[in-house]
Amino acid sequence: NNSTSCNMRLLDSKRVALICASNQNRSMESHAILLKKGYNVSSYGTSSQVKLPGPSIDKPNIYNFGTPYSQILKELKDQNPDLYKQNGVLGMLERNGKIKDAPQRWQDSPQRFDLIITYEERVFDTIVEDFMNRGNVAYEPVHVVNITVKDSHEEAVIGATQTLQLAQMIDQTDEETWEESLETILEDFSKKTGK
């Protein structure tokens, strides 16, 4: 049936990854928004460990990637429920646990993607360096785009809205020309968002 294929969005046929440092705030806020809009995306972090705000700036809570969001949530509730509710960490972990079981580390993923969106320059550099170290065994192109987003709850919401806007702009192209159109799309996106 042709009407079904005509209604399919371009990114529905693409593998898309959203990546920040700890796979907690920025990548997961975007993951949540895009998931609500029906996009099939994956999300990751690139740091060596997951870091969350602690009782003071010099005492973050540190976890290994793969530690279930539910376990982190329970531990922080036991540790100081008022602090972590007030700073938004408990709500963030509850949201994350509804999306997937645990934070995932990019470097441990064997998956291939067509489009990768990062949320800070350091993460972008880590992804590019990782590709150089891995080598392109599949010989398939991948497009890595950075949208700089400050690591705060408020900025993560803005960044997620901008990520959705970029996804919708890409969806307005077609299968044959989306890669050639990407540079123009990114220029238009930058003009609209200042990113």
PDB file of all heavy atoms in Angstrom, residues 35 57 65 78 91 96 99 102 136 139 144 156:
ATOM      1  N   LEU A  35      10.932   9.994  21.624  1.00  0.00           N
ATOM      2  CA  LEU A  35      10.140   8.780  21.823  1.00  0.00           C
ATOM      3  C   LEU A  35       8.649   9.114  21.847  1.00  0.00           C
ATOM      4  O   LEU A  35       7.847   8.425  21.219  1.00  0.00           O
ATOM      5  CB  LEU A  35      10.573   8.108  23.126  1.00  0.00           C
ATOM      6  CG  LEU A  35      10.254   6.638  23.320  1.00  0.00           C
ATOM      7  CD1 LEU A  35      10.884   5.787  22.229  1.00  0.00           C
ATOM      8  CD2 LEU A  35      10.749   6.183  24.690  1.00  0.00           C
ATOM      9  N   ILE A  57      29.485  20.034  45.427  1.00  0.00           N
ATOM     10  CA  ILE A  57      30.034  20.018  44.067  1.00  0.00           C
ATOM     11  C   ILE A  57      31.259  19.109  43.959  1.00  0.00           C
ATOM     12  O   ILE A  57      31.507  18.515  42.907  1.00  0.00           O
ATOM     13  CB  ILE A  57      30.337  21.446  43.575  1.00  0.00           C
ATOM     14  CG1 ILE A  57      30.535  21.460  42.070  1.00  0.00           C
ATOM     15  CG2 ILE A  57      31.538  22.039  44.271  1.00  0.00           C
ATOM     16  CD1 ILE A  57      30.072  22.699  41.397  1.00  0.00           C
ATOM     17  N   PHE A  65      28.458   2.658  34.184  1.00  0.00           N
ATOM     18  CA  PHE A  65      27.442   2.485  33.149  1.00  0.00           C
ATOM     19  C   PHE A  65      26.869   1.087  33.309  1.00  0.00           C
ATOM     20  O   PHE A  65      27.576   0.158  33.691  1.00  0.00           O
ATOM     21  CB  PHE A  65      28.048   2.667  31.751  1.00  0.00           C
ATOM     22  CG  PHE A  65      28.199   4.110  31.353  1.00  0.00           C
ATOM     23  CD1 PHE A  65      29.388   4.780  31.562  1.00  0.00           C
ATOM     24  CD2 PHE A  65      27.138   4.799  30.789  1.00  0.00           C
ATOM     25  CE1 PHE A  65      29.529   6.114  31.212  1.00  0.00           C
ATOM     26  CE2 PHE A  65      27.267   6.129  30.432  1.00  0.00           C
ATOM     27  CZ  PHE A  65      28.466   6.794  30.646  1.00  0.00           C
ATOM     28  N   ASP A  78      17.455   6.841  49.493  1.00  0.00           N
ATOM     29  CA  ASP A  78      17.915   6.426  50.819  1.00  0.00           C
ATOM     30  C   ASP A  78      18.943   7.416  51.383  1.00  0.00           C
ATOM     31  O   ASP A  78      18.981   7.672  52.578  1.00  0.00           O
ATOM     32  CB  ASP A  78      18.538   5.027  50.778  1.00  0.00           C
ATOM     33  CG  ASP A  78      17.516   3.926  50.506  1.00  0.00           C
ATOM     34  OD1 ASP A  78      16.291   4.196  50.601  1.00  0.00           O
ATOM     35  OD2 ASP A  78      17.948   2.801  50.176  1.00  0.00           O
ATOM     36  N   GLY A  91      13.425  13.006  39.871  1.00  0.00           N
ATOM     37  CA  GLY A  91      12.503  13.065  38.729  1.00  0.00           C
ATOM     38  C   GLY A  91      13.168  12.636  37.434  1.00  0.00           C
ATOM     39  O   GLY A  91      12.572  11.936  36.610  1.00  0.00           O
ATOM     40  N   ASN A  96      14.052   8.485  33.248  1.00  0.00           N
ATOM     41  CA  ASN A  96      14.997   7.621  32.543  1.00  0.00           C
ATOM     42  C   ASN A  96      14.608   6.147  32.650  1.00  0.00           C
ATOM     43  O   ASN A  96      14.690   5.399  31.677  1.00  0.00           O
ATOM     44  CB  ASN A  96      16.409   7.821  33.091  1.00  0.00           C
ATOM     45  CG  ASN A  96      16.957   9.210  32.818  1.00  0.00           C
ATOM     46  OD1 ASN A  96      16.330  10.016  32.136  1.00  0.00           O
ATOM     47  ND2 ASN A  96      18.104   9.504  33.385  1.00  0.00           N
ATOM     48  N   ILE A  99      12.178   4.833  30.192  1.00  0.00           N
ATOM     49  CA  ILE A  99      12.649   4.764  28.809  1.00  0.00           C
ATOM     50  C   ILE A  99      13.512   3.529  28.562  1.00  0.00           C
ATOM     51  O   ILE A  99      13.378   2.843  27.559  1.00  0.00           O
ATOM     52  CB  ILE A  99      13.418   6.046  28.440  1.00  0.00           C
ATOM     53  CG1 ILE A  99      12.457   7.242  28.493  1.00  0.00           C
ATOM     54  CG2 ILE A  99      14.082   5.928  27.083  1.00  0.00           C
ATOM     55  CD1 ILE A  99      13.140   8.582  28.408  1.00  0.00           C
ATOM     56  N   ALA A 102      19.038   1.142  32.017  1.00  0.00           N
ATOM     57  CA  ALA A 102      20.276   1.664  32.597  1.00  0.00           C
ATOM     58  C   ALA A 102      20.993   2.571  31.593  1.00  0.00           C
ATOM     59  O   ALA A 102      20.782   2.447  30.388  1.00  0.00           O
ATOM     60  CB  ALA A 102      21.192   0.501  32.980  1.00  0.00           C
ATOM     61  N   ASN A 136      36.428   2.270  10.157  1.00  0.00           N
ATOM     62  CA  ASN A 136      35.097   2.100   9.582  1.00  0.00           C
ATOM     63  C   ASN A 136      35.006   0.732   8.931  1.00  0.00           C
ATOM     64  O   ASN A 136      35.220   0.585   7.736  1.00  0.00           O
ATOM     65  CB  ASN A 136      34.800   3.219   8.577  1.00  0.00           C
ATOM     66  CG  ASN A 136      33.358   3.210   8.114  1.00  0.00           C
ATOM     67  OD1 ASN A 136      32.621   2.266   8.352  1.00  0.00           O
ATOM     68  ND2 ASN A 136      32.953   4.269   7.447  1.00  0.00           N
ATOM     69  N   TYR A 139      32.099   0.541   6.317  1.00  0.00           N
ATOM     70  CA  TYR A 139      32.197   1.454   5.178  1.00  0.00           C
ATOM     71  C   TYR A 139      30.857   2.100   4.861  1.00  0.00           C
ATOM     72  O   TYR A 139      30.459   2.220   3.716  1.00  0.00           O
ATOM     73  CB  TYR A 139      32.805   0.754   3.958  1.00  0.00           C
ATOM     74  CG  TYR A 139      34.202   0.276   4.238  1.00  0.00           C
ATOM     75  CD1 TYR A 139      34.447  -1.065   4.483  1.00  0.00           C
ATOM     76  CD2 TYR A 139      35.257   1.178   4.309  1.00  0.00           C
ATOM     77  CE1 TYR A 139      35.729  -1.504   4.785  1.00  0.00           C
ATOM     78  CE2 TYR A 139      36.545   0.740   4.603  1.00  0.00           C
ATOM     79  CZ  TYR A 139      36.764  -0.588   4.848  1.00  0.00           C
ATOM     80  OH  TYR A 139      38.031  -1.018   5.157  1.00  0.00           O
ATOM     81  N   VAL A 144      27.727  13.056  12.268  1.00  0.00           N
ATOM     82  CA  VAL A 144      27.789  13.425  13.675  1.00  0.00           C
ATOM     83  C   VAL A 144      27.563  14.927  13.770  1.00  0.00           C
ATOM     84  O   VAL A 144      28.288  15.719  13.158  1.00  0.00           O
ATOM     85  CB  VAL A 144      29.149  13.046  14.307  1.00  0.00           C
ATOM     86  CG1 VAL A 144      29.150  13.342  15.805  1.00  0.00           C
ATOM     87  CG2 VAL A 144      29.470  11.573  14.053  1.00  0.00           C
ATOM     88  N   ALA A 156      18.420  21.238  29.129  1.00  0.00           N
ATOM     89  CA  ALA A 156      18.174  19.936  28.493  1.00  0.00           C
ATOM     90  C   ALA A 156      16.806  19.916  27.812  1.00  0.00           C
ATOM     91  O   ALA A 156      16.654  19.345  26.729  1.00  0.00           O
ATOM     92  CB  ALA A 156      18.281  18.810  29.512  1.00  0.00           C
TER      93      ALA A 156
END
